Amino acid sequence: MTIQEVIQVAQAAIKTDNQKITMRQKDLKYETDSQRQDTLSGISDIRSDQDTQRTNISEAQKDIEKRQTEIAYMQKKQTAINDGRYQLPKPGKTQIYQK
């Protein structure tokens, strides 16, 4: 799964969770006290799931930013190699170390 797909799945889950919360909040006025406690607990669980999804989105966005920065530096290095401002190290002899 790509990072963009992770973000899309998390956003879809948050949207679905919002719909569940709305439905449960509407049901509250028709419930007994014990049912209400269960419903409120369920809403709390859903909100906790949303927090997890938001964390997943945030981490994915940070990963995207990190990769974009790495790509920018690679492109900069490639440009420097192409126009001769940067020289790759010459291959050397491989040394084998024995214990």
Side-chain angles (χ1 to χ4, degrees):
M1 185 178 293
T2 67
I3 295 172
Q4 286 82 7
E5 289 171 334
V6 169
I7 292 172
Q8 289 172 347
V9 167
Q11 289 171 332
I14 290 171
K15 184 177 180 180
T16 300
D17 286 347
N18 282 335
Q19 292 169 347
K20 289 178 186 177
I21 289 171
T22 300
M23 288 173 42
R24 288 184 182 210
Q25 287 173 332
K26 287 180 182 178
D27 290 342
L28 281 173
K29 60 185 169 185
Y30 303 109
E31 294 178 343
T32 65
D33 287 341
S34 64
Q35 290 172 319
R36 198 171 288 133
Q37 287 299 76
D38 289 342
T39 299
L40 291 172
S41 176
I43 289 171
S44 177
D45 291 343
I46 292 169
R47 287 193 173 130
S48 177
D49 179 60
Q50 285 182 318
D51 289 342
T52 300
Q53 296 301 334
R54 285 185 185 98
T55 298
N56 291 343
I57 291 170
S58 177
E59 289 174 3
Q61 289 171 331
K62 287 177 186 175
D63 193 38
I64 289 171
E65 290 173 16
K66 176 184 170 195
R67 290 173 189 238
Q68 287 174 335
T69 300
E70 290 171 352
I71 289 169
Y73 281 116
M74 287 176 170
Q75 289 172 334
K76 190 175 181 178
K77 187 175 186 178
Q78 183 64 44
T79 300
I81 290 169
N82 290 343
D83 60 14
R85 291 180 289 129
Y86 180 83
Q87 298 273 329
L88 292 172
K90 296 198 189 286
K93 291 182 180 178
T94 303
Q95 296 182 0
I96 300 174
Y97 295 99
Q98 296 180 346
K99 292 183 181 181

